[in-house]
Amino acid sequence: MTDTDKRLLRRTVDIAHQAMEKGNHPFGALLADKDGNILMEQGNEFQEGGSAYHAETLLLMKAAKKYSPEELKSCTLYSNFEPCCMCTGALYWTNVGRLVFGATEKELLACTGDNEENPTFSLSSREVVERGQKDIIIEGPVEDEELLEEILKDHIGFWK
């Protein structure tokens, strides 16, 4: 994981914090081009109809309207947490070529427990992608303990 990756993951933490301050779950995502320039940002948003409005899926749906599959192939999705199977599916179908995430679904489960607002899957993004037909690069989780603490900070106690 590069310094640019770490910088952009820190930005997803800021996006997640802003989402939390607006009354949403603390998740954040961004899309960057091959040079690390931020193209789009998205936090979780509560919307009528349930909790399927994850930051990653919302961002990817917007990106698919703005960029071609060829352009998205050279982009990276950054997320403070490992995307769930729905969000990983959105990454797959929009043709984004790389994913970088901070903390794993298992680390999220340790924060959420059995909270009905976030019933996590026991299915990694790597497992989802392995069953597809595209070569998507996945980097994560972070090994930098300081960055991991930053990622987990807003989630500790949030789900109680």
Side-chain angles (χ1 to χ4, degrees), residues 48-66:
E48 292 299 321
S51 59
Y53 298 95
H54 296 187
E56 301 90 343
T57 294
L58 289 171
L59 181 140
L60 290 163
M61 295 300 101
K62 291 175 185 177
K65 291 178 181 177
K66 187 171 182 176

Side-chain angles (χ1 to χ4, degrees), residues 18 39-40 55 78-79 83 108 116 134:
Q18 291 168 9
L39 302 175
M40 304 177 96
Y78 290 86
S79 180
L108 177 59
E116 65 185 37
K134 297 180 182 182

Side-chain angles (χ1 to χ4, degrees), residues 94-128:
T94 55
N95 209 42
V96 172
R98 184 170 177 254
L99 166 64
V100 175
F101 67 87
T104 66
E105 273 278 301
K106 288 182 182 183
E107 288 165 315
L108 177 59
L109 179 60
C111 294
T112 62
D114 63 355
N115 189 301
E116 65 185 37
E117 289 185 27
N118 195 25
T120 62
F121 279 89
S122 181
L123 183 61
S124 74
S125 57
R126 284 181 174 87
E127 290 176 88
V128 174

Side-chain angles (χ1 to χ4, degrees), residues 68-155:
S68 71
E70 294 76 27
E71 290 172 307
L72 290 171
K73 179 66 178 157
S74 65
C75 291
T76 300
L77 174 70
Y78 290 86
S79 180
N80 59 331
F81 276 86
E82 181 175 18
C84 70
C85 55
M86 174 184 72
C87 294
T88 303
L91 173 103
Y92 180 88
W93 289 112
T94 55
N95 209 42
V96 172
R98 184 170 177 254
L99 166 64
V100 175
F101 67 87
T104 66
E105 273 278 301
K106 288 182 182 183
E107 288 165 315
L108 177 59
L109 179 60
C111 294
T112 62
D114 63 355
N115 189 301
E116 65 185 37
E117 289 185 27
N118 195 25
T120 62
F121 279 89
S122 181
L123 183 61
S124 74
S125 57
R126 284 181 174 87
E127 290 176 88
V128 174
V129 168
E130 285 171 2
R131 284 164 177 74
Q133 300 176 32
K134 297 180 182 182
D135 293 322
I136 298 171
I137 298 165
I138 300 177
E139 309 235 12
V142 298
E143 294 179 7
D144 180 321
E145 286 298 319
E146 183 180 314
L147 179 52
L148 182 59
E149 284 180 27
E150 290 175 43
I151 291 165
L152 295 173
K153 182 180 177 184
D154 283 336
H155 288 265

